[in-house]
Amino acid sequence: MIATAVAAASPLFWKGGSLTLSEAAALRDAGEVARQIASGADPNVAYPLRPGVLAASTLTPLEAAVGSRRAEIVDLLLMHGATVDAAGWQRLHCFAVRTGASDVVGMLDRYKPADAPSSCEGVSMPF
């Protein structure tokens, strides 16, 4: 009976096993994000996402954090090795604007490269 209640409370995508760094970022699991980075996971690599986490099959941890509107995870990733150039910042910024995540936009603005354009015209979105 207890196992049934636990299974019913679990997200639909969850089938057990370890999270990828991008899944941990999308799910606001700051502890798992920090643990994986400390264990050598690269915060600049795209990782697979299980169906149901986000509407994409592969994203970088920053894309996953922005897509799931997780400003605190964006900050954590950028403080612990995630890098973003002008074009990457513009893409993430426009993605955050598109999702209506003003707190994520504000967080990304703290890390804006000096040469990054703010225009979203012609910028492609991860999903």
Side-chain angles (χ1 to χ4, degrees):
M1 187 76 149
I2 293 173
T4 304
V6 171
S10 299
L12 293 177
F13 73 86
W14 188 250
K15 304 284 189 235
S18 300
L19 296 174
T20 68
L21 184 53
S22 293
E23 288 171 336
L27 298 172
R28 193 188 286 168
D29 191 339
E32 182 64 12
V33 168
R35 186 195 68 73
Q36 286 195 31
I37 291 171
S39 295
D42 187 343
N44 297 298
V45 170
Y47 293 92
L49 297 166
R50 287 173 250 212
V53 176
L54 289 172
S57 60
T58 304
L59 292 173
T60 67
L62 275 174
E63 290 169 334
V66 170
S68 61
R69 305 171 75 170
R70 308 290 193 221
E72 72 284 1
I73 300 296
V74 169
D75 190 37
L76 178 66
L77 288 163
L78 288 166
M79 288 189 330
H80 291 94
T83 59
V84 62
D85 61 10
W89 179 89
Q90 180 187 29
R91 185 167 179 258
L92 290 170
H93 171 81
C94 294
F95 189 30
V97 167
R98 181 177 177 190
T99 65
S102 60
D103 57 337
V104 175
V105 171
M107 184 59 67
L108 287 168
D109 285 349
R110 291 178 47 196
Y111 294 94
K112 181 181 181 184
D115 59 340
S118 295
S119 168
C120 292
E121 188 173 331
V123 176
S124 65
M125 300 294 123
F127 58 88

